[in-house]
Amino acid sequence: MWFLDTAREIRDDLDPGLKLVTTTICDSREGRKRWKRLLRERGWTPEFRVMGVRPGSPFAKTHKTKCALGACKYVTGPNMYVDYNGDVVPCCIHPKAFVMGNMLNQTYKEVRRSAARREAILAMKKDRAGMEICGKCRKE
């Protein structure tokens, strides 16, 4: 819980209007209920998803996936994933595809307007299939 509380404190200092969201895989109804309670108490909005195929994982080697075209919603959309060290990454499926900024020394707006994010969007639009990690992802 330390990370959740610390991330909220950083958000409160740097960009109080930023919505804190977690996306979690949880198959148990009771587990989701418990996680929702814990997160909401700390000012977070919980979301849940099904298991995805992470590019580069052993599971991905046995399952063919077709790459989606263009820049994905995880890079172009309003939500951002913040890693334990403050790095803002494109998605929770493969968080080290690239880093778009860092919430420890940038605001949400600065990360959204960063050169790293713009370059990632352009690379995806130009040749997503040729990207080492994003080129193997089927998410749109």
Side-chain angles (χ1 to χ4, degrees), residues 15 25 40 45 49 74 80 86 111 113 133 137-138:
D15 198 347
I25 298 169
R40 288 181 178 144
T45 301
R49 68 173 179 83
Y74 298 106
M80 295 189 298
V111 173
R113 296 175 180 162
I133 294 170
C137 183
R138 57 185 154 90

Side-chain angles (χ1 to χ4, degrees), residues 1 14 24 45 49 52 62 95 107 113-114 116 120 122 132 137:
M1 298 301 134
L14 299 177
T24 308
T45 301
R49 68 173 179 83
T62 60
T107 66
R113 296 175 180 162
S114 71
L122 288 174
E132 181 180 354
C137 183

Side-chain angles (χ1 to χ4, degrees), residues 79-100:
N79 297 330
M80 295 189 298
Y81 295 87
V82 182
D83 225 344
Y84 69 95
N85 62 358
D87 283 347
V88 178
V89 295
C91 70
C92 62
I93 298 291
H94 205 303
K96 291 302 179 185
F98 51 87
V99 176
M100 297 185 285

Side-chain angles (χ1 to χ4, degrees), residues 11-24:
R11 185 276 317 260
D12 292 348
D13 288 344
L14 299 177
D15 198 347
L18 181 68
K19 181 179 178 181
L20 298 172
V21 179
T22 67
T23 303
T24 308

Side-chain angles (χ1 to χ4, degrees), residues 26 28-38 48:
C26 183
S28 159
R29 183 177 183 203
E30 292 172 6
R32 286 191 299 273
K33 185 178 177 180
R34 182 178 53 84
W35 191 233
K36 284 179 183 179
R37 182 182 51 78
L38 289 170
F48 298 93

Side-chain angles (χ1 to χ4, degrees), residues 54-83:
R54 181 178 170 172
S57 71
F59 186 76
K61 292 176 184 172
T62 60
H63 291 76
K64 297 277 185 191
T65 59
K66 182 179 179 186
C67 174
L69 300 175
C72 76
K73 66 181 179 182
Y74 298 106
V75 178
T76 60
N79 297 330
M80 295 189 298
Y81 295 87
V82 182
D83 225 344

